[in-house]
Amino acid sequence: RIHAMTAKIAMKANNNNIRWPIAIRNILAAFIIATPLLNYMLMTKSINTGSANDQQQLIAKNAELEARIRQLEASVSMVRSSSEGGQDNDSPRDVSSSSSSSSSSSIIVKANSINTYWWPSSEDGIGGILAKIHSVQHPPNCSSPTTKFFVWRSKRDSKSDTRGLTAWGHAGASHMIHAFTDGDKFREYGSTSRVLITDEKVWPMAKGCLNGGPQTRECYFEPLTSCKLTDVDPILVDDNTNNNTAKLIDVQDEYDRTKRTVYSSEKLWFRIIRRKYSWLNLPGNEKDHSTLTLNAASFAYYFRPKPWLRTEIDKRIRNSIPSDLNPDRTLGVPIRRSDKCHGHNITGSAKGELDCPDLPTYMEGVRKFLEFDPLIENVIVTSEDKSACDEFLELLGKEFPRLRVVLNVGDVQQGTGSGSKLESYVEGAANANVVASALTSMHLHLRARYFIITSKSTWTSTISVMARVYGFASEVFVLDIGRNTNNFADLARSGCDERRG
């Protein structure tokens, strides 16, 4: 309770631009003064009326409480010492090392990151599913015969793959669960998860990778695993029956689970897994655990930026988010249009999938949320479509001039969400700039409480899913004006699988 209450109060303090060390020190002082008094009263009552066993339990709880207070004090001292070391609130800090070994300090780091980079990490004390993913993907011995692999293969013509960032992330997260559950047969075949690893074909968004990096997803993101392709069993072209591999032609193909290395199909899609939690060995069944949490953790793991990209995102967040922004009073409007709409004429992009809602429909959503919560004071507006964004801002300014608009400063707004020709839509725009812009938009929206989305878009659905689990607001409300009918849209819209209950 102390952890939860301190985190909430600290968040409010930060939102109101109160300097951290003083605010937290005052909170802790109140706890330090009040807790012994309360415990003394309880101890006195227990001594007079309770058994010896009750007294011992109360003493143990008191000792545990004291230890947790001291841990929080140490965290505050750490924050105070760093702030008193000559670094003011506007100075950039090393965003690549903002993790900590204790959960209390990770809470403080997040609460103190309203207008700086923050992303969940398996190394910062959060633990749970994210840490489990990291553990499976980093086995003690990649070359061991007992270490099994699932190789995610690209399309044969990988250079023409039009999937956008979150469509790739969705595929990666789904293949990851396939690998961990061994194609939904985890318990039937020795309870062994496979390590997910990708091939090394060109990833369209990584063409011309900066800093001499590979032209794969690892141009921008941390490797999925510590293992290398040299650790997996190669496909034997002449004889694929007597080696240690299995190769899928279709996503739903069955395969021999005793094979050490399984290669995915070369299709866009992935196997639908029903028992997503089986590999975690948690008590209960699938209905006892959150699909939302597992999806968000998989995305968080997939989208871990390289240090140079973290620094770039941090710079953009600092330029975009006011330090006094209150997430609980913020509306997020991620407008997805351009190549997502039916009938577009954008060469090289994916075919349209949505009868895109007109901008007055977005405005109606803004009205509904303001009627629900008149205290909303900020609107985060992002879009890859500059003309749509500019038109929406004009409508917003005319009807709701009191609202503070937060934009992704420096956004390329390349006019497409497809990944095959990002560099060709805006003059002088490099792929790295487009990817940094898009990821910054996602990070900005984590600072909102209310959302207007089109769940036909994997992009806006992913933003909603991530905000529900890792966002800065106390809760999330979503208005879906472009509804899809799949499981992921359910999670984005309501936080649960609407068919499963």
Side-chain angles (χ1 to χ4, degrees):
R1 286 180 180 175
I2 284 180
H3 277 285
M5 291 176 66
T6 303
K8 282 189 176 181
I9 296 171
M11 179 76 80
K12 290 182 180 295
N14 183 72
N15 292 337
N16 290 290
N17 207 24
I18 299 174
R19 285 190 172 273
W20 274 103
I22 296 174
I24 299 176
R25 192 161 57 238
N26 289 341
I27 294 166
L28 288 173
F31 276 124
I32 292 166
I33 293 169
T35 301
L37 179 61
L38 177 61
N39 283 341
Y40 173 78
M41 294 168 64
L42 292 173
M43 286 281 286
T44 302
K45 181 178 180 181
S46 176
I47 290 169
N48 293 332
T49 62
S51 66
N53 185 51
D54 291 338
Q55 295 173 29
Q56 290 300 318
Q57 288 182 353
L58 189 58
I59 291 170
K61 286 184 177 181
N62 185 52
E64 179 188 0
L65 191 60
E66 183 75 13
R68 291 170 70 184
I69 290 174
R70 298 303 165 234
Q71 186 181 26
L72 281 171
E73 283 183 308
S75 298
V76 173
S77 297
M78 178 189 70
V79 174
R80 181 168 60 242
S81 62
S82 65
S83 66
E84 291 174 352
Q87 186 181 53
D88 61 32
N89 288 343
D90 296 324
S91 302
R93 61 171 176 266
D94 182 6
V95 297
S96 65
S97 60
S98 62
S99 61
S100 172
S101 59
S102 70
S103 60
S104 58
S105 59
S106 68
I107 291 171
I108 292 173
V109 168
K110 179 180 179 181
N112 203 25
S113 302
I114 292 296
N115 69 330
T116 58
Y117 175 89
W118 180 87
W119 192 249
S121 167
S122 59
E123 292 87 26
D124 66 2
I126 291 176
I129 293 176
L130 199 53
K132 286 287 188 181
I133 293 174
H134 186 275
S135 176
V136 172
Q137 288 295 103
H138 293 75
N141 184 359
C142 293
S143 61
S144 168
T146 60
T147 300
K148 294 184 174 182
F149 295 94
F150 185 81
V151 182
W152 174 14
R153 294 193 292 171
S154 306
K155 287 177 60 180
R156 290 185 181 180
D157 183 14
S158 63
K159 293 181 181 180
S160 64
D161 196 330
T162 59
R163 283 178 290 183
L165 269 176
T166 50
W168 275 95
H170 191 59
S174 299
H175 283 307
M176 193 181 297
I177 301 304
H178 180 158
F180 294 171
T181 65
D182 206 358
D184 239 355
K185 300 288 185 181
F186 180 81
R187 295 195 177 105
E188 291 89 333
Y189 289 88
S191 298
T192 301
S193 291
R194 295 181 181 273
V195 175
L196 178 67
I197 191 169
T198 62
D199 63 21
E200 293 180 337
K201 284 189 176 181
V202 170
W203 195 44
M205 295 185 192
K207 288 182 292 186
C209 182
L210 297 176
N211 307 316
Q215 296 188 94
T216 66
R217 68 168 291 282
E218 291 179 17
C219 172
Y220 305 110
F221 304 107
E222 296 289 358
L224 288 175
T225 176
S226 55
C227 300
K228 309 296 181 184
L229 281 175
T230 53
D231 295 311
V232 312
D233 302 280
I235 296 176
L236 299 182
V237 177
D238 297 329
D239 182 9
N240 194 34
T241 59
N242 296 319
N243 62 53
N244 210 12
T245 66
K247 182 172 64 174
L248 307 186
I249 304 302
D250 187 75
V251 295
Q252 296 296 344
D253 283 351
E254 282 302 326
Y255 55 91
D256 183 353
R257 263 71 176 184
T258 65
K259 301 290 187 180
R260 181 171 180 264
T261 302
V262 176
Y263 286 81
S264 78
S265 75
E266 295 174 305
K267 297 185 177 181
L268 287 177
W269 300 106
F270 34 81
R271 192 185 191 101
I272 302 300
I273 303 300
R274 303 298 176 189
R275 294 176 292 177
K276 294 180 173 66
Y277 271 85
S278 59
W279 64 283
L280 286 166
N281 289 316
L282 287 169
N285 57 41
E286 289 300 304
K287 288 190 176 182
D288 295 317
H289 305 294
S290 168
T291 303
L292 175 74
T293 301
L294 183 57
N295 271 268
S298 301
F299 277 112
Y301 186 81
Y302 183 91
F303 284 122
R304 295 167 299 135
K306 287 284 188 71
W308 70 267
L309 184 53
R310 289 201 293 270
T311 300
E312 183 64 28
I313 294 170
D314 179 70
K315 180 178 69 176
R316 291 166 183 253
I317 292 173
R318 290 172 183 271
N319 289 335
S320 304
I321 294 286
S323 60
D324 64 343
L325 182 135
N326 184 344
D328 277 344
R329 296 186 179 182
T330 301
L331 167 64
V333 187
I335 302 173
R336 179 71 174 92
R337 292 175 77 82
S338 62
D339 63 321
K340 178 58 65 173
C341 305
H342 288 310
H344 75 78
N345 58 359
I346 303 172
T347 305
S349 288
K351 294 180 180 180
E353 300 175 306
L354 176 65
D355 289 323
C356 288
D358 58 18
L359 296 178
T361 303
Y362 280 91
M363 287 298 299
E364 180 59 27
V366 176
R367 290 187 203 99
K368 288 181 178 179
F369 273 130
L370 283 170
E371 289 172 4
F372 175 74
D373 185 354
L375 295 178
I376 292 174
E377 57 191 20
N378 310 295
V379 183
I380 300 173
V381 182
T382 63
S383 180
E384 87 293 343
D385 188 328
K386 186 178 187 305
S387 61
C389 187
D390 290 347
E391 186 179 343
F392 179 75
L393 291 174
E394 184 177 350
L395 294 173
L396 194 65
K398 287 180 179 178
E399 186 166 351
F400 302 109
R402 74 169 183 83
L403 293 177
R404 178 170 60 177
V405 175
V406 177
L407 300 175
N408 181 355
V409 176
D411 192 355
V412 174
Q413 295 185 303
Q414 70 280 358
T416 178
S418 298
S420 55
K421 292 185 177 181
L422 289 177
E423 73 284 357
S424 65
Y425 298 110
V426 176
E427 185 177 354
N431 283 344
N433 223 4
V434 175
V435 170
S437 288
L439 289 173
T440 300
S441 290
M442 179 186 291
H443 279 256
L444 297 185
H445 283 294
L446 291 185
R447 277 82 176 161
R449 182 186 199 179
Y450 305 100
F451 292 91
I452 301 171
I453 71 165
T454 52
S455 63
K456 275 275 188 181
S457 160
T458 308
W459 171 251
T460 66
S461 293
T462 302
I463 286 172
S464 173
V465 165
M466 294 303 291
R468 287 186 181 280
V469 178
Y470 296 115
F472 286 69
S474 60
E475 56 195 345
V476 167
F477 297 90
V478 173
L479 176 61
D480 186 359
I481 60 173
R483 295 171 72 90
N484 206 345
T485 55
N486 60 23
N487 171 264
F488 195 60
D490 291 347
L491 296 179
R493 189 165 43 243
S494 63
C496 65
D497 183 342
E498 294 168 5
R499 280 162 291 282
R500 193 178 74 169

